[in-house]
Amino acid sequence: MSTRQTIKSIIEREWDQFQHTNNEGGRASCQGNRPMLEVMRASQFAAWPQELLTSYLADLREADAGGRNLVTEKYARMMASTAPEIYARDLEPHLPRLPEARIAQQERIIKRQLAWAHEFADRYPALGAGMRVFDTAEDSETTTSFETYLRGELATYSQRTLDLYERFVRECERRQENLTEQIIANTVRLGGYTNLDEAEAAQRRA
């Protein structure tokens, strides 16, 4: 399967799981906006190596076969920060328990990616202003930070996928590549801009 086909298959499965995710306040508006989801997820996955994509697709297939919904689990885990009482009472008992070593591994990844996000916003402030707030400390009942979203997503990966993801992050760091910059560059190209500088200039004029 080609990279493009793998990404398409991932998004198909994520979209299906997203449609079966129940939001506490009713169906979210973004659940009806497939084009937006496709752009955001394709921008992320286009930065990934094929081995990582293949492993994550296997996670989604295994989840479907086992009656799990990884998208539901991702959003549930975010509520540990955005709605801690509801999370502790209604959600945490039904989620897979994560070992301490696994949590520590996830936090290493989050620390590196959070630094990249801040570095990107410093370099491209207009584009950065259009992103999520960055830090979990900024979460509220209606606002989910980049850090909290990433923590929720990483928790849904199989150990195999998380190991590959950490290896990918370390390789980006070794090559002095900012993963946030790569992903946003993919996003702006899908939006019709030539590069980040052009998109930044357009945002400043808006």
Side-chain angles (χ1 to χ4, degrees):
M1 188 181 292
S2 70
T3 296
R4 180 174 293 183
Q5 290 171 322
T6 307
I7 292 172
K8 182 179 179 181
S9 294
I10 288 172
I11 292 173
E12 285 287 345
R13 288 183 179 269
E14 285 196 331
W15 176 254
D16 183 65
Q17 291 190 10
F18 194 30
Q19 297 312 293
H20 292 89
T21 296
N22 296 319
N23 184 44
E24 185 186 11
R27 185 174 171 83
S29 60
C30 56
Q31 286 179 282
N33 192 344
R34 179 161 178 160
M36 181 184 73
L37 178 137
E38 288 183 344
V39 167
M40 300 309 294
R41 299 305 278 171
S43 297
Q44 175 177 329
F45 298 136
W48 287 16
Q50 180 66 32
E51 185 179 17
L52 176 56
L53 290 168
T54 301
S55 183
Y56 180 54
L57 178 57
D59 289 354
L60 291 165
R61 287 171 171 163
E62 291 162 11
D64 285 338
R68 288 177 63 193
N69 186 321
L70 300 187
V71 175
T72 295
E73 290 183 16
K74 172 171 67 176
Y75 284 101
R77 289 189 182 278
M78 293 179 204
M79 291 178 69
S81 176
T82 61
E85 292 183 5
I86 295 172
Y87 175 80
R89 184 187 67 229
D90 299 333
L91 302 175
E92 186 176 20
H94 305 289
L95 293 169
R97 186 181 180 90
L98 300 176
E100 289 300 317
R102 164 75 184 232
I103 293 171
Q105 182 182 17
Q106 292 175 183
E107 293 303 312
R108 288 195 301 270
I109 296 168
I110 290 165
K111 182 179 179 181
R112 177 65 267 177
Q113 288 203 236
L114 195 56
W116 277 331
H118 282 287
E119 289 166 10
F120 174 81
D122 287 343
R123 185 175 177 187
Y124 296 99
L127 290 172
M131 296 168 64
R132 293 175 180 271
V133 296
F134 292 132
D135 302 295
T136 291
E138 300 173 88
D139 285 344
S140 69
E141 290 185 3
T142 57
T143 301
T144 303
S145 65
F146 171 84
E147 179 183 357
T148 295
Y149 185 95
L150 180 59
R151 185 172 289 116
E153 178 151 315
L154 293 179
T156 70
Y157 295 170
S158 67
Q159 188 60 55
R160 173 196 66 233
T161 298
L162 188 68
D163 289 343
L164 288 169
Y165 190 82
E166 184 175 32
R167 189 170 77 188
F168 167 57
V169 167
R170 286 178 173 172
E171 182 62 19
C172 288
E173 188 171 22
R174 186 189 68 78
R175 296 195 300 258
Q176 297 185 325
E177 294 175 352
N178 183 321
L179 182 55
T180 297
E181 185 170 326
Q182 292 180 50
I183 293 169
I184 303 299
N186 291 336
T187 304
V188 302
R189 279 194 291 268
L190 288 172
Y193 296 102
T194 303
N195 53 40
L196 287 166
D197 290 333
E198 181 181 321
E200 174 73 9
Q203 285 295 107
R204 290 183 178 184
R205 292 193 298 269

